[in-house]
Amino acid sequence: KLYIAGNKISQVEFGRRVGVSESVISRWLKGAYPNPETVDKKVTDFLDKEEVRDIVAEVRDIPFSETNISKKIWNTLEYCRIQRTIGVVYGDAGIGKTRTMEEWKRDKTDVITVTVTPAFASPKSFLKVLARSLKSSRQGSIDDIFSEILDKLEGTDRTIVIDEAQHLTCKTLELVRSINDMQGTAIILIGNELIYNKMQGRQQAEFAQLFSRIGMKIHLLTDYFTERDVSIIFKDVEQGAAKYLLDICKSKYGLRGAIHVYINAKNNEDISVAGITAMSRMMGIGT
């Protein structure tokens, strides 16, 4: 009960986190659940994990910082939103594209985000995910779902951000382009090098219409990280450790890799140059 009150969550949410239904957790809290031992064990396991999490550092403990790269991403996202155009933010993995996008949209009510996986790459699968985000119908043929999405967007001034967009097929990207054409909805594609390489490679002709409608594109590399970026992200490390973390940021592991090394070293209570270096080697993240 203290956990529920302290975290300002409902019994339903607590039951979901523990892995039991609302009715079970309600009766258990009242002492009216038969054979409570099974629920006791689930709750104990959950609270034990939460207690440990309270005393160790986590990746989410690193606050968002306005780095050289995040500024470029932020400005591109905002430009596309204002201009109602198609934008592409692409580049190396682990440099903060998704984190910056999430921070950028935090106080905005007109932004819809969809994260693509290979399972959602085909036109109908993607449209179902988009329809869910728009609270639109996901029933019927692909034409029905697409028409419902267009109706939902008509007369609105929305921005659709598609993360991990490199997974989308050519046909799916054509549908995305059509949404911008027909409703003037801003579309922003975020992904790795593949999303842009598709448009410039063997499928260039197929992507011609989409390519010609891109209003803004930005290519991001780990090389863009600077000493200043590291100093504002990892405020409590000495100069030598900061230099080592910068080297990781500029490597194929990116900022994501540097943060994982730092967090693990912090939990090991040693963020000195020696501690950061040893943790990096133990994790197999060399520079």
Side-chain angles (χ1 to χ4, degrees):
K1 289 178 180 178
L2 288 171
Y3 180 87
I4 291 171
N7 288 275
K8 299 179 180 179
I9 60 174
S10 65
Q11 289 185 12
V12 177
E13 173 63 16
F14 181 70
R16 187 187 68 79
R17 294 184 186 186
V18 171
V20 299
S21 67
E22 176 188 2
S23 61
V24 169
I25 203 68
S26 177
R27 284 185 289 163
W28 179 81
L29 285 168
K30 293 175 182 176
Y33 186 72
N35 303 317
E37 294 80 12
T38 55
V39 183
D40 290 348
K41 185 67 169 74
K42 287 178 179 288
V43 171
T44 299
D45 286 346
F46 173 77
L47 293 179
D48 283 348
K49 286 188 294 184
E50 289 293 285
E51 186 176 1
V52 174
R53 285 171 178 149
D54 282 342
I55 61 174
V56 299
E58 299 181 276
V59 170
R60 64 184 178 182
D61 294 333
I62 303 292
F64 173 77
S65 299
E66 192 180 74
T67 65
N68 180 46
I69 290 177
S70 69
K71 284 181 185 177
K72 296 176 188 295
I73 297 170
W74 192 293
N75 291 339
T76 302
L77 294 171
E78 190 62 18
Y79 176 86
C80 294
R81 173 173 173 255
I82 298 301
Q83 294 293 327
R84 302 188 186 93
T85 191
I86 296 176
V88 181
V89 177
Y90 70 106
D92 294 337
I95 58 176
K97 298 188 293 294
T98 299
R99 179 72 187 275
T100 302
M101 178 270 291
E102 289 173 346
E103 193 69 24
W104 168 79
K105 73 159 189 174
R106 187 180 301 281
D107 62 347
K108 295 175 175 59
T109 60
D110 60 335
V111 177
I112 300 158
T113 57
V114 178
T115 300
V116 182
T117 70
F120 303 142
S122 66
K124 188 168 186 178
S125 296
F126 172 77
L127 289 179
K128 282 184 175 181
V129 175
L130 178 57
R132 184 187 297 121
S133 298
L134 287 167
K135 295 180 173 55
S136 176
S137 173
R138 291 172 274 155
Q139 305 300 317
S141 67
I142 187 171
D143 294 343
D144 294 331
I145 300 171
F146 187 64
S147 295
E148 288 279 352
I149 288 171
L150 292 178
D151 289 344
K152 195 78 174 180
L153 291 170
E154 186 173 5
T156 68
D157 188 9
R158 310 297 288 273
T159 296
I160 298 174
V161 180
I162 304 172
D163 200 10
E164 301 293 339
Q166 69 272 7
H167 295 302
L168 296 179
T169 65
C170 178
K171 289 182 178 180
T172 307
L173 283 165
E174 275 299 303
L175 283 174
V176 169
R177 176 192 62 79
S178 298
I179 293 173
N180 176 260
D181 277 353
M182 300 172 76
Q183 299 297 8
T185 303
I187 305 287
I188 304 167
L189 305 170
I190 299 178
N192 61 25
E193 299 278 352
L194 289 176
I195 182 64
Y196 201 71
N197 288 345
K198 276 183 178 180
M199 303 175 196
Q200 293 185 309
R202 289 177 297 177
Q203 295 176 301
Q204 187 174 2
E206 296 176 77
F207 283 101
Q209 291 210 57
L210 173 63
F211 194 82
S212 66
R213 284 168 173 76
I214 294 174
M216 175 64 72
K217 64 179 184 292
I218 182 170
H219 186 200
L220 303 164
L221 301 171
T222 57
D223 285 343
Y224 296 164
F225 282 111
T226 66
E227 291 182 8
R228 175 189 172 277
D229 293 335
V230 170
S231 70
I232 63 175
I233 297 169
F234 309 106
K235 297 181 175 66
D236 55 350
V237 298
E238 58 188 79
Q239 186 175 359
K243 173 64 170 62
Y244 194 86
L245 288 169
L246 176 60
D247 289 342
I248 295 176
C249 287
K250 287 177 170 288
S251 74
K252 64 181 179 180
Y253 301 102
L255 175 60
R256 184 186 300 145
I259 287 176
H260 280 295
V261 169
Y262 168 81
I263 289 295
N264 288 337
K266 193 174 184 69
N267 286 327
N268 199 40
E269 300 182 348
D270 187 357
I271 56 171
S272 65
V273 180
I276 293 285
T277 304
M279 184 56 66
S280 172
R281 288 172 180 165
M282 187 178 76
M283 294 172 63
I285 297 180
T287 60

